[in-house]
Amino acid sequence: MDILKEKVYCSECNQKTNHLIIESYKEFSDPNAGFQRYTSYYIVQCAGCNNTAFVKHWIDEDYYYSEKDLNNQLEWTGTQQIYQPECTDIYEVYPQEPPKESVEDWLEKTLNLEKKNFPHMPKILYDLYQQIIDSYNMRHNVLCASGLRTLIEGVCKELKVKKGHVYKEDGTIEIEGKTGKEMYNSTLPARIFGLYEKGYIIFPQALILNKIKEIGNKAVHSIVSPDTMDLREVIQVMEQILYVIYELKAHKLLEKKEEVQEEIQK
């Protein structure tokens, strides 16, 4: 088999390679027309991996000019054609070679996040989580941050955590200045610590959720757009917490608890 004169893209090798011609068909434009075009169609096979492709090869020529044209008298006479410009060979292959990404596009894509699967999370909360990831991947950072705050509030509501104490970062409970009593209320920070008090999360996770809540507050009330990298880290931490709350209790190792205990006793 003949070899195609030009290397073309192979979708299997993911690069331009030599191709063998399996079948070919050629078309020619009217030889009397001023604009000349020659088109060839090929079914080809990659010489490296034997992958099959379709190639369209066409040649365009500029107008032929008469002697008067060359003397700047722009009048087409169709007579003696004494000038023929260089031909341009164009090869189009199908499947086509994907466009090359710019460095900026590549960096943007590497920042994107894939949606995690949380089969035990309530559907309404999982739908909200998916919208958060979509917003982040589209760099709608304000919407993403406000969605994270809403998700935290939704988790508290779904788990029926209506109140809680308010803690300092050192783990001690805040004291109300006027009454001298421990702070215990239904604000979102208190409900987040309520998740800790009810055993859904550990104390450092409660502190982090309150930090995420603050980022969401700034997005909602002050229209402050968080940094993309910071938001990426926040989402990943949030995903870990959601896994602990909804998925860890359903882990397959816990389903085999009796078997594990028997093995330990042995």
Side-chain angles (χ1 to χ4, degrees):
M1 289 185 284
D2 293 333
I3 297 178
L4 200 66
K5 292 182 180 180
E6 185 85 9
K7 287 185 177 182
V8 295
Y9 176 76
C10 172
S11 59
E12 289 294 324
C13 298
N14 198 26
Q15 62 180 342
K16 290 186 177 181
T17 62
N18 288 317
H19 281 70
L20 304 174
I21 299 173
I22 300 175
E23 294 288 345
S24 65
Y25 172 76
K26 295 185 179 182
E27 290 180 346
F28 300 92
S29 61
D30 185 350
N32 296 319
F35 187 76
Q36 302 296 309
R37 182 170 182 137
Y38 307 87
T39 307
S40 299
Y41 302 92
Y42 301 102
I43 296 175
V44 297
Q45 186 177 62
C46 176
C49 70
N50 296 327
N51 183 51
T52 304
F54 177 79
V55 174
K56 178 182 177 182
H57 169 220
W58 49 283
I59 303 173
D60 271 345
E61 297 177 354
D62 293 331
Y63 285 100
Y64 291 94
Y65 294 95
S66 68
E67 186 174 1
K68 287 186 178 181
D69 293 321
L70 296 179
N71 291 326
N72 294 323
Q73 298 177 16
L74 301 179
E75 177 184 347
W76 176 255
T77 63
T79 59
Q80 182 183 6
Q81 296 173 341
I82 62 173
Y83 171 69
Q84 181 177 349
E86 186 175 343
C87 298
T88 301
D89 286 78
I90 299 175
Y91 289 82
E92 295 179 355
V93 62
Y94 305 90
Q96 295 178 322
E97 181 176 3
K100 293 182 179 179
E101 288 185 321
S102 65
V103 175
E104 292 78 9
D105 290 341
W106 179 82
L107 287 173
E108 278 294 306
K109 185 177 291 186
T110 58
L111 288 176
N112 285 353
L113 291 171
E114 292 186 5
K115 296 169 186 173
K116 305 291 186 183
N117 187 29
F118 296 105
H120 297 90
M121 185 189 298
K123 183 179 184 304
I124 189 170
L125 294 181
Y126 186 65
D127 288 345
L128 176 56
Y129 161 76
Q130 291 181 305
Q131 292 174 32
I132 289 169
I133 300 300
D134 288 337
S135 296
Y136 168 79
N137 287 340
M138 291 186 286
R139 304 297 180 261
H140 296 165
N141 291 2
V142 171
L143 294 177
C144 178
S146 60
L148 285 166
R149 186 196 184 283
T150 304
L151 181 58
I152 293 172
E153 195 156 8
V155 169
C156 292
K157 183 176 181 180
E158 191 273 326
L159 295 175
K160 295 180 173 55
V161 178
K162 298 179 180 180
K163 288 186 176 183
H165 288 93
V166 178
Y167 289 78
K168 298 178 182 179
E169 290 192 2
D170 62 3
T172 59
I173 298 176
E174 292 274 7
I175 303 298
E176 292 183 2
K178 293 182 180 180
T179 63
K181 295 181 178 180
E182 294 179 345
M183 293 184 67
Y184 183 79
N185 54 53
S186 60
T187 62
L188 184 54
R191 282 181 285 159
I192 290 172
F193 284 117
L195 293 173
Y196 155 67
E197 291 177 329
K198 289 183 178 294
Y200 290 109
I201 57 177
I202 60 176
F203 185 72
Q205 291 173 329
L207 293 175
I208 290 173
L209 284 180
N210 268 301
K211 296 294 184 183
I212 296 174
K213 183 268 303 177
E214 291 172 7
I215 293 172
N217 283 349
K218 290 179 181 179
V220 172
H221 301 298
S222 303
I223 321 298
V224 175
S225 180
D227 176 77
T228 298
M229 284 300 298
D230 291 342
L231 200 54
R232 190 176 194 273
E233 292 180 6
V234 163
I235 292 172
Q236 290 174 326
V237 171
M238 188 71 194
E239 288 173 335
Q240 293 172 3
I241 294 173
L242 292 173
Y243 179 81
V244 168
I245 293 174
Y246 290 107
E247 305 304 323
L248 196 58
K249 62 186 177 183
H251 197 281
K252 62 182 181 180
L253 288 178
L254 295 179
E255 295 176 357
K256 300 179 180 180
K257 183 169 59 176
E258 294 182 359
E259 296 179 13
V260 173
Q261 289 178 344
E262 290 177 1
E263 289 295 325
I264 293 174
Q265 291 173 358
K266 292 179 181 179

